[in-house]
Amino acid sequence: MPLLKERIYTLEDIYNLPDGQRAELIGGRLYDIAPPSRIHQRLVTELATAINHHIKSQDGQCEVNVAPFAVFINADEETYVEPDISVVCDPRKLTDKGCNGAPDFIVEIVSPGSRKLDYTTKNALYSDAGVREYWIVDPAKERTTIYRYEEDAAPTVILFDHPVQVGIYQNLSITINDLLK
């Protein structure tokens, strides 16, 4: 007897979600996005501000975008993500709809419902797609896990009270606890 085929979702399903409902699409599978907590939003705001300020102070060309910001990371009909923070340095990837291709730097703030998705599914997706650097900021564990895919090295785990060096900007480091004061 053949196994039942699981439904494959596409971008059309994302665009047809009811108003106010958000989801991500990875490999044809839908993942609901829960409303963020206050600490989640505070971290997104403070990190994006710090990164954006640094880029502007260096006359950099990269653009910082925060969720909800569409990233069509694989340029296919079955993958669509909304990273908490996306830094895109190639303006040719940017359209009015979002980013077509891999951002250079992605930050995800872990929520209780996103833990497995952020640490496993998205980690593999971002690595395969060509993201240069990926941070997983985990408020519950008070640590940041850094993946620098270009270096092909093991991830680094930094506690919130220690500075984190941004790999794509050699002269920028951020201490997460300083952002929460």
Side-chain angles (χ1 to χ4, degrees), residues 20-130:
Q21 183 178 353
R22 291 177 45 220
E24 293 180 301
L25 178 66
I26 301 174
R29 186 167 178 207
L30 277 178
Y31 297 87
D32 286 328
I33 298 175
S37 68
R38 186 183 62 79
I39 189 73
H40 182 282
Q41 287 302 89
R42 188 164 169 214
L43 282 167
V44 168
T45 299
E46 296 295 334
L47 277 165
T49 300
I51 295 165
N52 196 50
H53 180 265
H54 176 77
I55 291 169
K56 287 183 181 249
S57 74
Q58 302 295 310
D59 293 323
Q61 300 304 309
C62 300
E63 185 174 303
V64 179
N65 292 281
V66 298
F69 176 73
V71 175
F72 307 95
I73 201 158
N74 287 339
D76 64 25
E77 289 292 311
E78 297 174 2
T79 306
Y80 164 96
V81 291
E82 293 183 6
D84 291 317
I85 300 172
S86 301
V87 179
V88 181
C89 299
D90 182 351
R92 296 172 297 180
K93 292 182 178 180
L94 296 170
T95 70
D96 286 341
K97 287 190 172 189
C99 177
N100 292 312
D104 294 87
F105 179 28
I106 289 178
V107 178
E108 295 281 11
I109 313 299
V110 175
S111 300
S114 74
R115 181 169 298 286
K116 182 177 179 185
L117 188 65
D118 291 338
Y119 278 101
T120 59
T121 308
K122 286 186 176 180
N123 184 20
L125 175 67
Y126 296 157
S127 174
D128 291 344

